[in-house]
Amino acid sequence: MNEIAVRVAKKTREAQDINAYELVAVDGESLPAFDAGSHIDVFLPNGLVRQYSLCGGPPQQGRYRIAVLRDPKTRGGSQAVHDMVHEGDTLRISMPRNLFALSDGMHASVLLAGGIGVTPLLAMAYHLHARGRPFELHYFARSRERVAFLSELLTGAFADQVVLHLDDESPAGSQPVRELVASLQASRPDAHVYSCGPAGFLQHVSDTLAAVSWPAGQTHSETFTASEPVTGDSFELRIASTGETVVVGPNETVVAAAARLGFDIPVSCEQGICGTCVTRVLEGVPDHHDQYFSDAEHAANDQFTPCCSRAKSRLLVLDL
Ligand code: FES
């Protein structure tokens, strides 16, 4: 994996529990260009590796900007960033990768941000604005204090295309996602909808779009929070090179089971996003729980993400 050494040039408080970090290359060169929707792996001082979307616009040319919500419910990555990463520090990051790319064309793009999920959508908004493509950015948050990049959004170049939906300023019983989707259906049925946020928010958006049969090809989403660990029935795992087998318990991952046989599968996100752990499957049918592979790649069943995916068959033989 190509890694880049960066320095934290700027750390700013962007909203309640949200900090933004501007990263520059330690060698003074511009950082590689990235497509809107991209994310990077950040190698944290405590050994964790976490993925953060790049959310910079033209003012951050040649730099990367990420924003991080301190979330005590997660596995320690966000707290490490808030507590251990300071201006002037150096970090290692990966090259940008994009699993949430914008679709080409002059159709309308409707960007739905749930909380800190605004980060990739902000980069998309800058991209769409620069190309004169029609779009709206809808930001859903509990209160104004929790809206990251508030003044940038409300006074910036595309301020008139930003709509805030704040729980504490909305009339009781309002259903903003439902109303928005109904209006899209009536006025812009060719629009592409991009959503990013916590799993519950994405589910709500997905259910609302499904209720009006919104075309799957015009729906794009990315989550960022660790989902609940995937559990399921036990199954047998065989290592092809040695023939050794081990039972993967209902609450353990394939990575953990393989480690008991001395096979350390490299991991990063541990939630099926980054692809670091991808392993070839020689026999058996994986039960895919990742967001890394396409539907066609899932259907091929010849590789899987052992950090979170399991088996539909009683035996899985891995090319290890
Ligand atoms: S570690 Fe990221 S997909 Fe498995």
Side-chain angles (χ1 to χ4, degrees), residues 68-83:
V68 181
L69 167 72
R70 180 195 286 275
D71 185 353
K73 293 196 295 298
T74 61
R75 299 161 299 154
S78 69
Q79 300 198 58
V81 177
H82 272 249
D83 296 339

Side-chain angles (χ1 to χ4, degrees), residues 129 135 137 150-163:
H129 175 73
F135 76 96
L137 170 58
L150 183 65
S151 83
E152 182 174 326
L153 289 169
L154 296 185
T155 63
F158 47 80
D160 56 349
Q161 287 148 274
V162 174
V163 183

